[in-house]
Each structure stands twice: as C-alpha cells, then as structure tokens.
Amino acid sequence: MQTGTTLIQFLTEEQRKTGQQNTDILELLTTVTISCKRISSAINEGALAGVMGSLDSENIQGETQKKLDVITNEIFLHTNERSGQLAGMASEEMETVYDIPADCRRGKYLLVFDPLDGSSNVDVNISVGTIFSILEHNKTSHPVTADFLQPGTRQIVAGYALYGSSTMLVITTGHGVNGFTLDRDVGEFMLTHPGMTIPTQTKEFAINASNQRFWEAPVQRYVSECVAGKTGPRERDFNMRWVASMVAEVHRILVRGGIFMYPKDTKDPTKAGKLRLMYEANPMSFIVEQAGGVSSTGRQRILNIQPEGLHQRVPVILGSREEVERVISYHAAN
Ligand code: AHG
Ligand code: MN
Ligand code: MN
C-alpha cells in the first residue's frame, strides 16, 4: 500500500509544531489547491479541449491574452470566491480588484495571483505555472486597491503550481519551503520535496540574452564574466538556461541552484522591469528567501518594496546567495 503525507496534513502538522493553529488558512489553501488541480486538467487536455491559441484581446499590461490566460483566471476566481475566507482578489489578468460576490461568505484574506505564468509556452507544450500570494485584510470594509499594496514581508503564504512533466505545488508559510507532487490517482498533492533549500553556489545562470544591449553595466559585467568562463575572472565555466516561464526557472533553482535575472533595462523606459511585483516577484522572493536564497532588484530587497500599484513592475535578480550577492555588489560599485 502506498502511503504519504498530503499537503493539508503537512500544513496542519506544521501549524501544530509552530503553535500557529489557523484553520481558516487551511480552508483557503484547500480551495487554492483545488483551483490548481482544475488548471492542471485544463492545461493537460491541451488542444483536445480547444483551449490553445490567442484571443484578440489584450490584458491590462497590453499583452495579448491566450485563451488559457482567461480560462485559468476564471477557474482561480470562481473556485476561490467560494472558500469563505476571502475579502477580495487581484490578478495579473484583471485591471481592478475583484470583490467577493454577495452570495458568498466573506473572510479576512486577500488572494493575489498570476493564473498562468509563462503563457507564451502553453502552445508549445513547455512548462507553465500559477503563482499566488496571501495577504491579510483586517478590516470589515470591502477591500480597495490600497488594501492590497502591502510589502512582500507581510505575505502570510506564497506558493506556485508547476504544470510540467508532473504537476507540483511548492509553498511557504514562513517556515521553510516544501514541495508536493500531484498524485492523479488519488487527486492529492503529496509531500515529495520536504525542506527545499537553494545551494549557495551555482554555475548556472538564466537571463533573456536577446535583451543584452538594453542591460545596465552591472548586469553586463556579471554575464560577460560568466560567459568568459574558465578563461575569465571567475575561472570556471558556467551554463545558461532560459525557459521563459518564471515558475519553471525558480523551481529549477530550488532543486539544483542557479541565478535568475529579469533586470532593469532600457528597452522600454516607462517600465522598471518586466515582472510584476505583486503576483510574481513578491511570492517568488518569499519562497526563495525561505529556501536560503536571496532576491533583490540589484539595489533593494524585493520584499521591502512598498508597492505603488497593483500591476507595478520591478527588476528581479534571485537565487543562490553567493551569485545574487555578487550582482548586488556590482550594482553598489557602479
Ligand atoms: P506571463 O506569462 O505571466 O506574462 O509571465 C511571463 C514572464 C515570466 O514567466 C518569464 O520569466 C518572462 O515573462 C519571460 O519573458 P521573455 O518572453 O521576455 O523572455
Ligand atoms: Mn507571469
Ligand atoms: Mn500570466
């Protein structure tokens, strides 16, 4: 007989050990995992369900929406609005915050999410994911945008689902990082990666090199030194990866180390970076720090940023401690 620990069993035990009993969060996370299982099914059906391809519409970020961007957003909204634990939600795919419908029980948490991360990869059958972050709303009023604009240090939970060769859920509640794999036979996420930690050193870097001419000097220096390998100042060879799904890159870094960069560049001077603070950078930074890594814009710890807008973009440099600290030092020296 196969045995194991389910996600909710694990979190219940974690709460008992840390003396932080909170059944409301467990209820909410149960619903979040149901949304991820539903999204996993939708993505798995792929072309059979007629869900591939783009729509004519653009999201609030001016990006062309994939059919699955919209479908996964709907799944996440309509599954979680029934959790009874939410005061409101905000998503990459919606301009404004989402209020819980009047016929649903309300709660005291805010759920922020990127329903489909790496959506350009969905038509070519490469890994995509969902990223989520839970914040508190300790007011009786219906939440407005300002209630969501809390720095990343205030996150209660952060996690991502990775729809890859297997479906995984990786989560932190501020007590380390644990990974669970979806057992499709029983429909549960089972603990498979307890206590995930990022190796402090790495020989692997990830950056979209087609943007090289737009990078600032510190990133130019770091990448050119990696590329120079054994014959350069680092005196060792590096390897490069770029999946174009942040979830897949962060997962690889959690499993075997590495550094991921989507830095500040001059490609579009109106944007501080490409990735979104609230539903990409903050949850991933919480996870990376809890796994012993570092996450920075190059000039500031991401989790300390006071958000100014729901869809605010920031530079992101995260991963193995020694490499990220090196890039930070190159920024300081610049
Ligand atoms: P999304 O699909 O939610 O818009 O996010 C895509 C993000 C991130 O996952 C990835 O690291 C990056 O955009 C890829 O950007 P490029 O296409 O510029 O490489
Ligand atoms: Mn994304
Ligand atoms: Mn997305």
Side-chain angles (χ1 to χ4, degrees):
M1 188 185 72
Q2 210 183 344
T3 57
T5 308
T6 70
L7 175 75
I8 297 301
Q9 283 171 339
F10 177 85
L11 294 174
T12 306
E13 183 60 12
E14 186 181 74
Q15 288 189 357
R16 197 189 59 75
K17 280 188 195 152
T18 56
Q20 294 176 336
Q21 249 97 351
N22 181 341
T23 50
D24 291 351
I25 273 288
L26 295 179
E27 238 178 75
L28 174 54
L29 287 172
T30 303
T31 332
V32 168
T33 60
I34 293 169
S35 334
C36 295
K37 290 176 206 169
R38 287 190 170 144
I39 292 175
S40 180
S41 300
I43 289 166
N44 261 275
E45 279 187 57
L48 295 174
V51 294
M52 295 308 185
S54 300
L55 297 168
D56 292 332
S57 56
E58 284 186 350
N59 66 9
I60 172 65
Q61 337 264 343
E63 297 161 342
T64 305
Q65 284 182 305
K66 296 277 179 189
K67 284 183 193 167
L68 272 169
D69 281 321
V70 175
I71 293 167
T72 55
N73 191 58
E74 296 286 308
I75 292 174
F76 220 80
L77 280 182
H78 299 308
T79 308
N80 289 301
E81 70 189 4
R82 309 239 148 237
S83 69
Q85 301 300 337
L86 289 176
M89 289 183 258
S91 157
E92 173 182 288
E93 300 300 333
M94 299 182 302
E95 184 169 0
T96 53
V97 303
Y98 181 85
D99 203 5
I100 301 302
D103 64 327
C104 298
R105 187 161 55 94
R106 304 174 65 82
K108 63 168 194 241
Y109 294 104
L110 303 174
L111 183 60
V112 183
F113 59 93
D114 173 357
L116 189 62
D117 174 67
S119 58
S120 70
N121 279 326
V122 81
D123 290 342
V124 289
N125 212 342
I126 290 176
S127 299
V128 290
T130 298
I131 311 172
F132 63 91
S133 163
I134 298 173
L135 298 162
E136 254 174 326
H137 180 66
N138 285 323
K139 297 178 186 171
T140 48
S141 57
H142 288 229
V144 293
T145 300
D147 295 311
F148 285 81
L149 302 183
Q150 305 180 28
T153 47
R154 301 255 297 268
Q155 293 172 101
I156 309 288
V157 181
Y160 63 79
L162 170 64
Y163 314 111
S165 44
S166 55
T167 289
M168 285 194 66
L169 202 136
V170 173
I171 193 166
T172 185
T173 62
H175 303 286
V177 180
N178 293 284
F180 302 80
T181 304
L182 181 60
D183 180 338
R184 290 190 186 278
D185 291 340
V186 292
E188 291 283 358
F189 283 102
M190 308 302 294
L191 180 67
T192 49
H193 295 61
M196 298 177 89
T197 51
I198 301 175
T200 54
Q201 296 177 332
T202 181
K203 288 182 176 177
E204 208 158 59
F205 69 100
I207 192 163
N208 182 342
S210 70
N211 293 324
Q212 179 162 13
R213 68 189 188 282
F214 303 112
W215 299 337
E216 295 184 318
V219 173
Q220 295 280 6
R221 176 181 169 193
Y222 178 78
V223 173
S224 66
E225 288 179 359
C226 291
V227 172
K230 264 195 186 119
T231 55
R234 303 297 306 269
E235 297 174 342
R236 56 192 168 100
D237 288 336
F238 281 75
N239 194 12
M240 204 278 285
R241 287 285 179 273
W242 188 251
V243 186
S245 287
M246 188 192 198
V247 167
E249 322 267 12
V250 169
H251 190 69
R252 186 185 62 246
I253 289 170
L254 280 167
V255 172
R256 68 176 191 212
I259 178 169
F260 167 89
M261 291 176 281
Y262 217 118
K264 182 174 188 308
D265 63 33
T266 57
K267 193 172 183 178
D268 179 349
T270 64
K271 292 177 184 156
K274 170 161 185 187
L275 299 175
R276 280 59 53 124
L277 175 61
M278 297 298 293
Y279 31 75
E280 291 173 325
N282 269 344
M284 290 311 204
S285 299
F286 189 18
I287 292 168
V288 164
E289 285 196 5
Q290 283 293 315
V294 179
S295 183
S296 168
T297 63
R299 297 180 168 89
Q300 186 183 11
R301 181 186 178 211
I302 286 178
L303 292 181
N304 282 342
I305 298 173
Q306 172 57 52
E308 285 165 5
L310 219 44
H311 302 290
Q312 179 177 348
R313 295 172 191 257
V314 289
V316 175
I317 298 164
L318 59 76
S320 292
R321 173 172 296 279
E322 287 190 11
E323 293 304 309
V324 179
E325 283 176 350
R326 177 180 284 269
V327 181
I328 293 170
S329 76
Y330 288 2
H331 281 81
N334 196 41

